[in-house]
Amino acid sequence: MVSPSIDSGQACRTIIAGTAYPTGLGIFKNFISGFGLIQAKSIFQENQVKYYWRVVVEMWNIRMRASQNIESQEIHISGAEGIFEENELSKMLGIYLKRALNHSRGKPDKIYFTIENFKQIPIKISPLIIKNLICNSPKEARELITERLLNLNITKDAILHAFSIIDSNKTMRGAAIISATKVLRFDPNIERGIRVSRLGIDRESDRKFNRILKRLKINNSRVKEALTLASKVAYHVDVKAELCISDDPDYTTGYIASKELGYLRIANIKNSGDRKGGRIFFINEGADIFELINYLEKMPVLVNFENY
Ligand code: PML
């Protein structure tokens, strides 16, 4: 048996993504101590078993949702979330509160905050590669989206289904999950959709992420959060692609994303002033919907930019 050692970041990421534990060590996998979470991890490397021990700082998930009551209906105004260390909580609560109170969709009359401590170690994943597409009009953007999605074997019917959900007058809080081949929708509550949750940026790589976005002249929280979400969604084996059009009337850049496409930002995806928008996930035939929804809503995921 090899003695415990501190691993390199790369090896650790591989393990967190799901390498097996040797029998007998399982009980030491994660446990809570006065320091936070302690992980004992192992990998098989060149026929050797290596053991890794590390202290993981306790993490918190903040979720914010703001709404307005119009004619006895709760209308979605804005939402945001992230994974943070305890010492960042009050700063982030202030930032989210400010955002909720100053959204172009209107003034909320209810703001909900959920602040949750994790007992589960987040999976660490790599982000999608960012690309930009210049489109001059929403019509051109939709043609381009259609072409790219058809190339991923998403059918024309499924693409038109996605646009019809976006174009409907109801703004969902969450995303719609639809078939990539047929006109079928799977999320159980279509008024609400699925809210992708428990996701954030790995603090170890946050500075690098900021540098990359600064170079691309898109260093703002909206892009950061959208890329983080798109990376979590695309990581699931049964998600073929995502289409996102902001429901913010002032924001006219959207994206399509997938493992193959990366994060493809599309300018002029809608006209300024248009309040319609939404997120659509195209999924494979035969996907386990219950498992997929559980992953999207409940599984903590951190995006790490070290290898970007
Ligand atoms: C939203 O937050 O309203 C969705 C924004 C999607 C596009 C973000 C970007 O500019 O890359």
Side-chain angles (χ1 to χ4, degrees):
M1 183 166 146
V2 181
S3 52
S5 63
I6 301 297
D7 60 319
S8 73
Q10 178 52 50
C12 193
R13 268 193 295 284
T14 318
I15 307 157
I16 288 170
T19 310
Y21 301 91
T23 35
L25 198 70
I27 50 163
F28 294 116
K29 254 164 56 173
N30 304 320
F31 56 95
I32 313 285
S33 81
F35 301 109
L37 281 165
I38 294 187
Q39 290 178 296
K41 296 276 186 184
S42 71
I43 58 165
F44 295 92
Q45 207 178 52
E46 296 161 8
N47 298 327
Q48 270 189 324
V49 178
K50 281 199 170 186
Y51 297 98
Y52 295 89
W53 298 81
R54 62 181 215 159
V55 176
V56 181
V57 177
E58 278 198 39
M59 301 300 278
W60 292 78
N61 177 223
I62 305 181
R63 301 192 288 279
M64 178 278 284
R65 181 163 71 77
S67 65
Q68 200 179 55
N69 199 296
I70 299 177
E71 291 165 7
S72 308
Q73 280 216 354
E74 203 176 282
I75 306 295
H76 172 72
I77 298 290
S78 71
E81 82 156 84
I83 296 177
F84 307 101
E85 290 175 16
E86 193 167 315
N87 61 10
E88 298 169 292
L89 287 181
S90 51
K91 180 182 97 189
M92 290 315 302
L93 284 169
I95 291 174
Y96 283 178
L97 180 62
K98 208 163 159 189
R99 194 185 307 182
L101 291 171
N102 296 292
H103 201 277
S104 51
R105 286 183 67 79
K107 201 85 176 162
D109 48 30
K110 261 195 195 138
I111 304 170
Y112 303 85
F113 278 99
T114 306
I115 307 160
E116 183 188 32
N117 182 224
F118 282 138
K119 300 284 180 262
Q120 196 184 352
I121 305 283
I123 303 174
K124 294 197 186 187
I125 65 167
S126 294
L128 295 171
I129 301 291
I130 304 170
K131 297 169 198 164
N132 283 293
L133 274 176
I134 308 297
C135 277
N136 294 315
S137 67
K139 182 172 175 289
E140 203 182 293
R142 287 198 179 202
E143 283 165 8
L144 202 132
I145 291 166
T146 305
E147 183 197 310
R148 297 295 171 111
L149 295 181
L150 285 173
N151 285 343
L152 295 177
N153 294 325
I154 296 174
T155 65
K156 185 91 193 229
D157 281 351
I159 298 166
L160 291 175
H161 185 204
F163 286 139
S164 74
I165 296 170
I166 299 246
D167 291 339
S168 81
N169 278 322
K170 291 196 174 130
T171 308
M172 290 174 298
R173 279 203 323 260
I177 299 182
I178 68 169
S179 162
T181 49
K182 301 184 182 127
V183 182
L184 285 175
R185 183 162 172 186
F186 302 108
D187 43 306
N189 179 347
I190 61 169
E191 303 279 306
R192 172 184 175 270
I194 294 299
R195 179 160 179 189
V196 183
S197 194
R198 296 169 176 87
L199 70 167
I201 297 157
D202 190 7
R203 283 290 167 275
E204 288 166 24
S205 65
D206 198 28
R207 274 215 208 120
K208 179 154 183 201
F209 188 19
N210 287 335
R211 274 204 307 276
I212 295 164
L213 294 184
K214 222 174 191 166
R215 216 173 33 235
L216 297 169
K217 297 191 172 59
I218 45 174
N219 190 14
N220 61 65
S221 55
R222 192 189 288 264
V223 177
K224 281 174 107 169
E225 285 168 14
L227 176 62
T228 305
L229 186 149
S231 301
K232 175 173 179 180
V233 173
Y235 186 75
H236 194 281
V237 69
D238 277 322
V239 176
K240 248 187 148 67
E242 176 188 351
L243 162 67
C244 171
I245 300 182
S246 178
D247 56 14
D248 181 336
D250 294 341
Y251 202 79
T252 58
T253 299
Y255 66 85
I256 47 174
S258 82
K259 295 168 205 68
E260 294 86 350
L261 292 171
Y263 179 82
L264 210 55
R265 303 181 70 235
I266 304 168
N268 298 312
I269 203 164
K270 70 173 193 180
N271 288 317
S272 175
D274 186 350
R275 295 173 70 86
K276 289 179 194 150
R279 274 196 163 89
I280 315 286
F281 306 148
F282 298 89
I283 65 161
N284 289 325
E285 192 114 344
D288 178 341
I289 306 297
F290 182 78
E291 186 278 327
L292 172 63
I293 293 177
N294 188 61
Y295 166 78
L296 295 170
E297 293 193 329
K298 303 271 162 57
M299 176 85 78
V301 169
L302 285 176
V303 180
N304 182 292
F305 288 79
E306 248 356 280
N307 293 330
Y308 195 83

PDB file of all heavy atoms in Angstrom, residues 222-223 226 244 246 251 253 255 263 265 279, ligand 1:
ATOM      1  N   ARG A 222     -23.405  37.545 -16.387  1.00  0.00           N
ATOM      2  CA  ARG A 222     -24.407  36.850 -17.201  1.00  0.00           C
ATOM      3  C   ARG A 222     -23.742  35.765 -18.052  1.00  0.00           C
ATOM      4  O   ARG A 222     -24.198  34.620 -18.107  1.00  0.00           O
ATOM      5  CB  ARG A 222     -25.130  37.848 -18.106  1.00  0.00           C
ATOM      6  CG  ARG A 222     -26.362  37.249 -18.746  1.00  0.00           C
ATOM      7  CD  ARG A 222     -26.904  38.185 -19.777  1.00  0.00           C
ATOM      8  NE  ARG A 222     -27.522  39.356 -19.224  1.00  0.00           N
ATOM      9  CZ  ARG A 222     -28.831  39.490 -19.006  1.00  0.00           C
ATOM     10  NH1 ARG A 222     -29.636  38.495 -19.270  1.00  0.00           N
ATOM     11  NH2 ARG A 222     -29.313  40.602 -18.543  1.00  0.00           N
ATOM     12  N   VAL A 223     -22.638  36.116 -18.719  1.00  0.00           N
ATOM     13  CA  VAL A 223     -21.945  35.145 -19.565  1.00  0.00           C
ATOM     14  C   VAL A 223     -21.377  34.013 -18.686  1.00  0.00           C
ATOM     15  O   VAL A 223     -21.482  32.832 -19.019  1.00  0.00           O
ATOM     16  CB  VAL A 223     -20.812  35.816 -20.378  1.00  0.00           C
ATOM     17  CG1 VAL A 223     -20.050  34.792 -21.193  1.00  0.00           C
ATOM     18  CG2 VAL A 223     -21.378  36.895 -21.288  1.00  0.00           C
ATOM     19  N   ALA A 226     -24.203  31.736 -17.602  1.00  0.00           N
ATOM     20  CA  ALA A 226     -24.779  30.976 -18.720  1.00  0.00           C
ATOM     21  C   ALA A 226     -23.803  29.880 -19.172  1.00  0.00           C
ATOM     22  O   ALA A 226     -24.202  28.742 -19.433  1.00  0.00           O
ATOM     23  CB  ALA A 226     -25.115  31.913 -19.877  1.00  0.00           C
ATOM     24  N   CYS A 244     -30.726  28.546 -25.962  1.00  0.00           N
ATOM     25  CA  CYS A 244     -31.106  29.539 -24.941  1.00  0.00           C
ATOM     26  C   CYS A 244     -31.294  30.914 -25.572  1.00  0.00           C
ATOM     27  O   CYS A 244     -30.414  31.431 -26.266  1.00  0.00           O
ATOM     28  CB  CYS A 244     -30.034  29.614 -23.855  1.00  0.00           C
ATOM     29  SG  CYS A 244     -30.297  30.991 -22.719  1.00  0.00           S
ATOM     30  N   SER A 246     -32.480  34.650 -24.072  1.00  0.00           N
ATOM     31  CA  SER A 246     -32.773  35.336 -22.817  1.00  0.00           C
ATOM     32  C   SER A 246     -34.194  35.901 -22.814  1.00  0.00           C
ATOM     33  O   SER A 246     -34.683  36.374 -23.835  1.00  0.00           O
ATOM     34  CB  SER A 246     -31.768  36.476 -22.626  1.00  0.00           C
ATOM     35  OG  SER A 246     -32.070  37.167 -21.445  1.00  0.00           O
ATOM     36  N   TYR A 251     -31.634  42.067 -23.670  1.00  0.00           N
ATOM     37  CA  TYR A 251     -30.462  41.227 -23.954  1.00  0.00           C
ATOM     38  C   TYR A 251     -30.722  40.355 -25.180  1.00  0.00           C
ATOM     39  O   TYR A 251     -31.548  39.443 -25.152  1.00  0.00           O
ATOM     40  CB  TYR A 251     -30.143  40.342 -22.740  1.00  0.00           C
ATOM     41  CG  TYR A 251     -28.710  39.882 -22.751  1.00  0.00           C
ATOM     42  CD1 TYR A 251     -27.686  40.725 -22.351  1.00  0.00           C
ATOM     43  CD2 TYR A 251     -28.381  38.609 -23.188  1.00  0.00           C
ATOM     44  CE1 TYR A 251     -26.362  40.311 -22.390  1.00  0.00           C
ATOM     45  CE2 TYR A 251     -27.063  38.183 -23.218  1.00  0.00           C
ATOM     46  CZ  TYR A 251     -26.063  39.044 -22.815  1.00  0.00           C
ATOM     47  OH  TYR A 251     -24.752  38.638 -22.844  1.00  0.00           O
ATOM     48  N   THR A 253     -28.367  38.601 -27.108  1.00  0.00           N
ATOM     49  CA  THR A 253     -27.429  37.526 -27.449  1.00  0.00           C
ATOM     50  C   THR A 253     -27.893  36.239 -26.773  1.00  0.00           C
ATOM     51  O   THR A 253     -28.198  36.239 -25.586  1.00  0.00           O
ATOM     52  CB  THR A 253     -25.995  37.870 -26.979  1.00  0.00           C
ATOM     53  OG1 THR A 253     -25.582  39.055 -27.634  1.00  0.00           O
ATOM     54  CG2 THR A 253     -25.012  36.751 -27.303  1.00  0.00           C
ATOM     55  N   TYR A 255     -27.576  31.575 -27.223  1.00  0.00           N
ATOM     56  CA  TYR A 255     -26.573  30.572 -27.596  1.00  0.00           C
ATOM     57  C   TYR A 255     -27.221  29.230 -27.911  1.00  0.00           C
ATOM     58  O   TYR A 255     -28.356  28.961 -27.501  1.00  0.00           O
ATOM     59  CB  TYR A 255     -25.524  30.402 -26.496  1.00  0.00           C
ATOM     60  CG  TYR A 255     -26.025  29.818 -25.195  1.00  0.00           C
ATOM     61  CD1 TYR A 255     -26.123  28.441 -25.007  1.00  0.00           C
ATOM     62  CD2 TYR A 255     -26.395  30.636 -24.132  1.00  0.00           C
ATOM     63  CE1 TYR A 255     -26.575  27.908 -23.804  1.00  0.00           C
ATOM     64  CE2 TYR A 255     -26.839  30.115 -22.920  1.00  0.00           C
ATOM     65  CZ  TYR A 255     -26.922  28.742 -22.773  1.00  0.00           C
ATOM     66  OH  TYR A 255     -27.381  28.218 -21.589  1.00  0.00           O
ATOM     67  N   TYR A 263     -19.861  26.245 -26.785  1.00  0.00           N
ATOM     68  CA  TYR A 263     -20.824  27.269 -26.370  1.00  0.00           C
ATOM     69  C   TYR A 263     -20.844  28.327 -27.470  1.00  0.00           C
ATOM     70  O   TYR A 263     -19.939  29.161 -27.570  1.00  0.00           O
ATOM     71  CB  TYR A 263     -20.361  27.853 -25.036  1.00  0.00           C
ATOM     72  CG  TYR A 263     -21.222  28.940 -24.454  1.00  0.00           C
ATOM     73  CD1 TYR A 263     -22.360  28.640 -23.726  1.00  0.00           C
ATOM     74  CD2 TYR A 263     -20.871  30.286 -24.590  1.00  0.00           C
ATOM     75  CE1 TYR A 263     -23.136  29.652 -23.152  1.00  0.00           C
ATOM     76  CE2 TYR A 263     -21.634  31.298 -24.020  1.00  0.00           C
ATOM     77  CZ  TYR A 263     -22.765  30.969 -23.305  1.00  0.00           C
ATOM     78  OH  TYR A 263     -23.521  31.961 -22.733  1.00  0.00           O
ATOM     79  N   ARG A 265     -22.163  31.443 -29.043  1.00  0.00           N
ATOM     80  CA  ARG A 265     -22.931  32.662 -28.750  1.00  0.00           C
ATOM     81  C   ARG A 265     -23.452  33.253 -30.062  1.00  0.00           C
ATOM     82  O   ARG A 265     -22.711  33.318 -31.048  1.00  0.00           O
ATOM     83  CB  ARG A 265     -22.065  33.699 -28.037  1.00  0.00           C
ATOM     84  CG  ARG A 265     -21.457  33.202 -26.759  1.00  0.00           C
ATOM     85  CD  ARG A 265     -20.637  34.275 -26.083  1.00  0.00           C
ATOM     86  NE  ARG A 265     -21.442  35.331 -25.535  1.00  0.00           N
ATOM     87  CZ  ARG A 265     -21.306  36.622 -25.812  1.00  0.00           C
ATOM     88  NH1 ARG A 265     -20.390  37.031 -26.662  1.00  0.00           N
ATOM     89  NH2 ARG A 265     -22.071  37.523 -25.245  1.00  0.00           N
ATOM     90  N   ARG A 279     -35.156  28.380 -22.190  1.00  0.00           N
ATOM     91  CA  ARG A 279     -34.079  27.398 -22.387  1.00  0.00           C
ATOM     92  C   ARG A 279     -34.704  26.071 -22.768  1.00  0.00           C
ATOM     93  O   ARG A 279     -35.677  25.646 -22.142  1.00  0.00           O
ATOM     94  CB  ARG A 279     -33.313  27.183 -21.080  1.00  0.00           C
ATOM     95  CG  ARG A 279     -32.226  28.162 -20.847  1.00  0.00           C
ATOM     96  CD  ARG A 279     -31.267  27.677 -19.759  1.00  0.00           C
ATOM     97  NE  ARG A 279     -30.045  28.436 -19.848  1.00  0.00           N
ATOM     98  CZ  ARG A 279     -29.843  29.595 -19.196  1.00  0.00           C
ATOM     99  NH1 ARG A 279     -30.776  30.095 -18.424  1.00  0.00           N
ATOM    100  NH2 ARG A 279     -28.702  30.242 -19.340  1.00  0.00           N
TER     101      ARG A 279
HETATM  102  C1  PML B   1     -29.751  35.089 -19.554  1.00  0.00           C
HETATM  103  O1  PML B   1     -29.079  35.162 -18.526  1.00  0.00           O
HETATM  104  O2  PML B   1     -30.712  35.799 -19.706  1.00  0.00           O
HETATM  105  C2  PML B   1     -29.297  34.157 -20.636  1.00  0.00           C
HETATM  106  C3  PML B   1     -28.132  34.733 -21.329  1.00  0.00           C
HETATM  107  C4  PML B   1     -27.564  33.835 -22.403  1.00  0.00           C
HETATM  108  C5  PML B   1     -26.406  34.412 -23.184  1.00  0.00           C
HETATM  109  C6  PML B   1     -25.215  34.827 -22.378  1.00  0.00           C
HETATM  110  C7  PML B   1     -24.041  35.259 -23.270  1.00  0.00           C
HETATM  111  O3  PML B   1     -23.999  36.430 -23.636  1.00  0.00           O
HETATM  112  O4  PML B   1     -23.176  34.423 -23.591  1.00  0.00           O
END
